[in-house]
Amino acid sequence: MSQFEHATKPQPLEVLNSVFGYDSFRHQQQAIVESVVGGQDVLTLMPTGGGKSICYQIPAMVRSGVGVVVSPLIALMKDQVDALREVGVACAFLNSTQDQYEQMEVEASLMRGEIQLLYVSPERLLMERTLNLLEQAHLSLFAIDEAHCVSQWGHDFRPEYQKLSILPQRFPNVPRIALTATADERTKQEIISQLQLSNAKVFVHSFDRPNIRYHVSEMANAKHELWDFIEQNHPQDAGIVYCLSRKKVEETATWLSGKGRVALPYHAGMSVEQKNQNQQRFLREEGVIIVATIAFGMGIDKPNVRFVGHLSLPKSIESYYQETGRAGRDGAQANAWMAYGLQDLVMQKQMVENSDGNSQYKQVQMGKLNALLGYCELSSCRRQTLLGYFGESLSQPCGNCDNCLNPPKTWDGTQAAQKALSTVYRSGQTFGVTHLVNVLLGKSDEKIQRFGHESLSTFGIGTELTAEQWKGVFRQLIAMNYLTVEGMYNNLKLTELCRTVLRGEQTIELRELRKAKKKKTSSTKKSTALSAQDAEVFEKLRELRASLAKQQNVPAYVICHDASLADIALKRPLNHEELGQVSGFGDAKVAKYGDAIVELMIAQPKATLVLTATEQTTVDLFNQLNKVDLVAAERGIAANTVMSHLASAIEIGLCPLQQVIEVEPSELEQFGVVITQLNLLSERKLKPLFEHFEAKYDYSTLRCVVSHFVYQKQLASLANS
């Protein structure tokens, strides 16, 4: 009989607080948890970093028996189990990395009822020995993580996942929860069908990751632009760079290492030992860049990955969304940067055409690739299109992608398109882009002379554009499906769609090439969120965390996330009770690490609240001009930036709220109630407030209002001390 069965089972919210250290559930977590606890099958679609694991971990701890977690990520199971053990959860894993005696020990613990969560791969679960073992145990639930692996159309297809339909037959009374961060409507329906979840409750959370800034580059020298991006924005941050081939992975890792960064390769051609070693260094060390094929990343829990770069075009929007989603799991600002060029486009289309799949498979994959190409060529908000692909709408442009921040210029490319298409036709539809560009520019090389292309009517008619600009025209025409790429020499052929363009019945809008800018795309350093004094304490806390992690032989983020360290630096807890109020610190972590953290905090000087120099300049100017737009014009900064500076002043009592915005007392009272209900003073997240008031107030206004209540709370605290 399980040691957990006779104990009074806690409520989900109690577990969330005492074990995981959080005051309230996020988004739809509570409804999901309560459904599984009640014995209901569930399908959950939630973005990376949205808190999926909580949705099965807490039900497994509340329900009687052991929860079985099906995961494809053998290499990460130990870290997942270590993280749970850190917060006091009895858990284990069964996989091929263990010897016979270790496996027997886990099986014995399972039968004695000493485990709350057991992690297994689908291959291990489907072994008859494992199924028989589980039939003898008392099970609380099955959690099928990365459920999109069931889809034969998907980028992570695992045939074993489709065989998990055996679970409701062998274990009809055990609830199942399937979870994924990546699924369009087709994939969602396939998960439901393949896993027999037709009676399951379906929860679809917003796919939006507002903290990630999306940027797509069409620059010719992608590698050097990648370095400029890393050097300017992430000189010390951890990141992932994806490449299509093993050779490119090795070359890029060596190149970045030569630039002075710790950059490690990861691809299927490496030994298991070397891959695991590089993965562990990435997880445990700070500031490491992993350069990888798509073989890397699924299930990576490292919260402070600050950027994801793509030196090669992914296969689909699903792949792109999942891979970029590995940045910014902690909710702090992060970047998704991608280089996009003609060669990548051609290579991906060829890979689809040359694949072993049937015609239906190729048609689906080509549709997915075309959707990604359309995303790359956008002139409008990227986030709106990205969310639209997953069936979600965003009413306003996001303001946090390259197109919103630096809108691309477009031009009437109808005549250029006609010239390009005509050249393809007149040259016999048997040549690649480079040759066609030379024809348009009138460059008479050996190949042009050999084929007599100086006599073509389109020879030399395109001198108004440069070679790079013509390559951009051809790339966009391929992305728009006016041209297709065929054969081993990447010959361009016309499609049926081009007829209306050639006849002048349709106009074509094309994007201008962007010029490289030496400009930061986002700032992600802790010093921007903390005062200089608090940032110094934050660094001391990082050093302490590194020491504790080394003692425990776990990655630093398993001890706690950067967000928790920042919270400690701000709150300066002086005892265990105060530390327990820090987000992410449950009873087990407070008991284990409380003495060391409190000792460090007691040794720190008392925090003083001050503005940065630029914030003080804005406040002084605002006191003179009394209008946000005038201050913005005078300083040459955005009005939103002015409001952010004023919010900082409001928070420390240097500027009253009513001086910045007009708000009725009744409105202010309503704000106070909602902010308290949503626990926004500790987490400082504005999106829940924005959504609660249904976009009635903009983010700048809400930031000032929250700052006002933070200051009021500080005053109350001082009065009671």
Side-chain angles (χ1 to χ4, degrees), residues 226-227 229-231 234-243 249 252-257 259-266 278-279 281-283 285-292 296 302 305-309 311:
L226 171 67
W227 175 248
F229 161 75
I230 293 174
E231 189 177 35
H234 305 286
Q236 297 177 319
D237 293 330
I240 304 172
V241 177
Y242 285 106
C243 302
V249 164
T252 304
T254 301
W255 180 72
L256 286 171
S257 297
K259 291 282 191 179
R261 291 301 301 264
V262 178
L264 306 173
Y266 188 103
N278 288 359
Q279 178 173 280
R281 285 193 64 187
F282 175 72
L283 292 173
E285 297 177 19
E286 297 290 343
V288 174
I289 298 174
I290 203 90
V291 185
F296 178 84
K302 188 178 177 75
V305 176
R306 295 268 65 85
F307 71 92
V308 169
L311 274 177

Side-chain angles (χ1 to χ4, degrees), residues 261-432:
R261 291 301 301 264
V262 178
L264 306 173
Y266 188 103
H267 58 74
M270 298 166 60
S271 68
V272 173
E273 293 76 15
Q274 188 62 57
K275 284 194 295 184
N276 286 341
Q277 180 182 331
N278 288 359
Q279 178 173 280
Q280 288 305 311
R281 285 193 64 187
F282 175 72
L283 292 173
R284 293 167 186 257
E285 297 177 19
E286 297 290 343
V288 174
I289 298 174
I290 203 90
V291 185
T293 59
I294 58 171
F296 178 84
M298 184 162 49
I300 287 293
D301 288 332
K302 188 178 177 75
N304 61 339
V305 176
R306 295 268 65 85
F307 71 92
V308 169
H310 282 89
L311 274 177
S312 302
L313 196 67
K315 295 179 179 179
S316 65
I317 284 185
E318 290 98 327
S319 299
Y320 174 74
Y321 177 81
Q322 186 178 46
E323 289 158 15
T324 57
R326 288 159 191 158
R329 290 174 61 98
D330 55 6
Q333 287 297 309
N335 280 306
W337 177 95
M338 178 167 65
Y340 162 60
L342 185 62
Q343 192 58 40
D344 275 344
L345 184 157
V346 169
M347 188 178 299
Q348 286 288 9
K349 282 185 175 278
Q350 283 186 328
M351 288 175 67
V352 173
E353 290 297 335
N354 298 332
S355 67
D356 295 330
N358 58 29
S359 59
Q360 184 185 11
Y361 172 84
K362 291 180 180 181
Q363 184 178 359
V364 170
Q365 296 308 313
M366 193 63 77
K368 289 175 178 288
L369 178 58
N370 286 337
L372 179 62
L373 297 179
Y375 170 84
C376 292
E377 296 292 358
L378 277 177
S379 301
S380 56
C381 174
R382 295 199 191 277
R383 197 179 309 272
Q384 285 180 316
T385 297
L386 194 61
L387 295 178
Y389 181 83
F390 294 106
E392 184 179 341
S393 61
L394 186 66
S395 59
Q396 298 293 326
C398 71
N400 196 30
C401 70
D402 56 345
N403 286 348
C404 285
L405 295 166
N406 181 26
K409 295 179 180 178
T410 61
W411 57 290
D412 184 349
T414 306
Q415 191 175 57
Q418 288 172 335
K419 290 179 179 181
L421 296 171
S422 181
T423 302
V424 171
Y425 175 73
R426 295 179 186 282
S427 61
Q429 304 185 66
T430 54
F431 293 91

Side-chain angles (χ1 to χ4, degrees), residues 541-589:
L541 286 164
R542 275 167 57 101
E543 292 172 8
L544 174 61
R545 180 180 65 178
S547 174
L548 294 171
K550 190 172 182 180
Q551 293 172 23
Q552 299 292 325
N553 191 30
V554 295
Y557 66 82
V558 169
I559 303 297
C560 67
H561 291 187
D562 283 356
S564 296
L565 294 187
D567 204 18
I568 294 172
L570 287 168
K571 291 178 177 175
R572 309 285 181 95
L574 300 179
N575 53 53
H576 282 207
E577 184 179 355
E578 291 179 0
L579 182 60
Q581 300 304 308
V582 169
S583 178
F585 269 79
D587 295 347
K589 284 190 178 180

Side-chain angles (χ1 to χ4, degrees), residues 533-534 536-537 540 569 572 600-608:
Q533 192 176 27
D534 290 336
E536 188 177 334
V537 174
K540 291 179 181 179
R572 309 285 181 95
L600 177 61
M601 290 301 97
I602 290 174
Q604 303 310 307
K606 185 174 177 62
T608 55

